[in-house]
Amino acid sequence: MDISFNNDNARKIISTPEISSLQENIDHLHTALEEKTGVGSDYLGWMHLPSQTPSSLLDSICSTQDEMREQCDAFVCVGIGGSYLGARAAISFLSSANNKEYAPEIYFAGNTMCSDYHAELLQTLEDKEVCINLISKSGTTLESAIAFRLLRIFMKKKYGEEGARRRIIVTTGPQKNIMNDLAKEEGYRSFYIPEDVGGRFSVLTSAGLFPIAMAGVNIRELMDGALMAERELSRSSDLSFNSAYLYAAYRYLLFQKGKTIELMAAFHSSFDYVLEWWKQLAGESEGKGGKGIFPSTAHYTTDLHSLGQRVQEGTRNLFETFLLVKKSLKVIEIERSDSDIDGLGYLEGKSLDFINDKAYKGSAAAHHEGGVPNLALILKERSAHNLGQLFYFFERAVAMTGYLSGVNPFNQPGVESYKNNMFNLLNKPSHTKGRQIK
Ligand code: PA5
């Protein structure tokens, strides 16, 4: 794989025998995953998406996006949580690497209930040729449903019934649900998210692949990368070979030693939404039953100037994982200047990648010294192929950490509590009999 794992700055707190002591359990849990005998086994469809997604589905996604791209210069992706973050992560990670020649501008909606955001979006779309993709597996998520209603009405006013129909695609669960019914009633084209793939594990289904393709990313390359990871990480659970499980083992042991917060920090801004995607994957999968690492994210070096003090000297309850890429797509060097008035003469001829790498190494050493163990995951390059590997790597690692901790990583019973309260407060018909919150 093109992802390397570095544990140099965690060896002081986690010894090799401690890691090895988990091997037997990891072997057993790996078998439970592969043979679908563990908890949550109805939601393991993500494990073999790279190898089992039919080529005909990728063809259909590619031909639909070709057709859509001809009609629009603005594409709105409507969804939240797992039905949004994977696409956004890939689109922002690969933005300048994409084939942008014909790609529309990509907008997101339904990931917030902010009135101003949606008002401004609708205004921006006025002068554009627009296509829309609603993504909601359940078909009932309030944020996406509201945004979709706003946008559907906008589209019908702008293009009429028939014009809107050609420009709207619905991606939902295969079972009967509100959005499935609506799509049939209105005649919208549909893609399906397999029943056995949960939202946060769905980036490699149509939920992620269609919007990613719309942004000009080569989705076959993304899937090929994920396939490489699937093959490597399902072949063996040996910790000297399976880096996703080794990362999971460190996470599990660090948590046991009171490092209850994982700060995933990136030094390259293209990772901004990959961090958000990971945060949901880890938080929703592992945080239950009174357990779970609290996943948090940092954008370095900017956050070294805000969180840096807390990391270096605050409560010693965190560890860091650095998410890095070996090289940027574009090289910028510090140019020679006639005078050294800005004091940067010592950096002349050095690239920003070189300087950023020293910032990483300096922070990793200082934080380690200060009692914050850190790990690093390093991608070879900023490509769809590497990102496909990374998506799959994190899915495997989080599934294994959940199993090690004794939780079901594939459900999310806790998110229903706030929804029940909110729907009660909104007098949603099916909820009005529940507990009343004032
Ligand atoms: O991971 C999850 O299951 C959630 O984050 C969902 O993806 C999110 O709540 C959106 O759900 P839906 O796709 O049903 O609209």
Side-chain angles (χ1 to χ4, degrees), residues 38 41 62 68 79 83 101 125 136 138 150 167 177 203 221 231 235 241 245 255 263 268 383 425:
S41 58
C62 290
M68 283 277 167
S83 289
E101 210 177 330
L125 297 176
S136 175
S138 63
L150 295 173
R167 291 164 175 269
N177 70 41
V203 58
E221 211 182 304
R231 288 200 174 124
R235 193 178 311 142
F241 177 80
Y245 290 172
F255 183 74
L263 187 61
H268 203 280
S383 65
L425 291 165

Side-chain angles (χ1 to χ4, degrees), residues 256-268:
Q256 300 299 314
K257 294 194 177 199
K259 306 295 182 191
T260 56
I261 299 172
E262 179 173 10
L263 187 61
M264 178 76 67
F267 278 80
H268 203 280

